Amino acid sequence: EADIYQTPRYLVIGTGKKITLECSQTMGHDKMYWYQQDPGMELHLIHYSYGVNSTEKGDLSSESTVSRIRTEHFPLTLESARPSHTSQYLCASSEKRGIGETQYFGPGTRLLVL
Amino acid sequence: GIQVEQSPPDLILQEGANSTLRCNFSDSVNNLQWFHQNPWGQLINLFYIPSGTKQNGRLSATTVATERYSLLYISSSQTTDSGVYFCAVETGANNLFFGTGTRLTVIP
């Protein structure tokens, strides 16, 4: 059973505010990910981490930043939110299975920037 | 980068009907996963299936890696099966690339 948590689940915020989306997992997974998903569309990888002190940019350019100070925690920060940041943000972590990885997803954070 | 195409984009079924969802990918992959995203946005891993066939209850999946496609079968569909089904593939970079999804609506 996968245990990965995201807070807040919903956030409505004004333009220019700084926000941090939290993601935590209790499975001891080394690799973690952030995806951005617009309604009805596919997921796009924006950040990932191989482990503590590792952060990498994903396939979709994003103005957000991430940090990985602890294995279980992978927060995403927007320094100055804009309406174009309105989207759903999904956090995931993965375990090794053979040569591939099974990813487990959190419930997501729906962000609306006014 | 790798292209992942899913078909059909939308599917409406009567409860109890069977369906097949398809995922085509443009390059060799290390991994393929099927996910179900429920109406509340939660993604659930259905299958980890880089090759071969797996079954889990009313769901089964087959991946033919040499021909670069995977199929997800849903039998005796239920209204709780509604949502979006995503195929995602992993290449040598060990990151998942998602398809555009199939939106399934099961009506009573």
Side-chain angles (χ1 to χ4, degrees):
Chain A
E1 185 71 26
D3 293 308
I4 181 163
Y5 309 98
Q6 290 185 244
T7 57
R9 292 293 311 278
Y10 303 92
L11 180 60
V12 181
I13 201 164
T15 297
K17 299 293 185 183
K18 178 180 178 179
I19 59 172
T20 296
L21 308 184
E22 302 288 348
C23 176
S24 295
Q25 51 95 6
T26 59
M27 297 167 285
H29 291 169
D30 285 326
K31 203 165 178 185
M32 296 187 73
Y33 314 78
W34 276 103
Y35 292 87
Q36 184 174 341
Q37 183 187 28
D38 291 330
M41 305 296 286
E42 66 266 46
L43 282 73
H44 292 285
L45 181 69
I46 52 175
H47 298 284
Y48 62 100
S49 166
Y50 289 109
V52 172
N53 294 326
S54 157
T55 60
E56 305 286 343
K57 289 193 178 296
D59 310 302
L60 181 67
S61 175
S62 174
E63 295 170 342
S64 58
T65 59
V66 292
S67 62
R68 192 85 184 276
I69 298 172
R70 304 197 315 265
T71 297
E72 62 271 23
H73 195 213
F74 191 39
L76 180 145
T77 298
L78 277 166
E79 290 294 333
S80 180
R82 296 207 301 270
S84 60
H85 296 140
T86 294
S87 191
Q88 174 165 247
Y89 294 83
L90 290 153
C91 180
S93 69
S94 65
E95 61 177 2
K96 285 282 187 184
R97 291 183 62 175
I99 61 171
E101 302 173 349
T102 298
Q103 290 195 16
Y104 299 94
F105 282 79
T109 294
R110 291 184 188 270
L111 173 65
L112 173 60
V113 183
L114 303 175
Chain B
I2 191 167
Q3 303 299 313
V4 184
E5 296 179 354
Q6 290 185 244
S7 60
D10 293 279
L11 184 60
I12 299 175
L13 295 176
Q14 197 79 42
E15 196 169 28
N18 303 327
S19 62
T20 300
L21 282 58
R22 187 177 180 102
C23 172
N24 292 330
F25 43 96
S26 61
D27 205 347
S28 300
V29 299
N30 295 333
N31 177 17
L32 187 144
Q33 290 182 250
W34 282 97
F35 293 91
H36 174 222
Q37 188 169 40
N38 65 23
W40 296 270
Q42 174 73 60
L43 269 166
I44 305 296
N45 186 309
L46 297 176
F47 292 103
Y48 167 90
I49 186 165
S51 64
T53 298
K54 289 186 178 179
Q55 180 154 7
N56 184 2
R58 296 181 295 104
L59 303 180
S60 64
T62 295
T63 297
V64 184
T66 53
E67 296 186 23
R68 300 182 182 171
Y69 73 89
S70 183
L71 302 174
L72 178 69
Y73 306 95
I74 304 174
S75 64
S76 304
S77 58
Q78 300 175 359
T79 55
T80 52
D81 295 332
S82 296
V84 183
Y85 289 81
F86 287 101
C87 163
V89 300
E90 177 189 331
T91 64
N94 297 129
N95 290 327
L96 284 179
F97 292 89
F98 281 77
T100 51
T102 292
R103 182 173 299 277
L104 174 65
T105 304
V106 180
I107 55 178

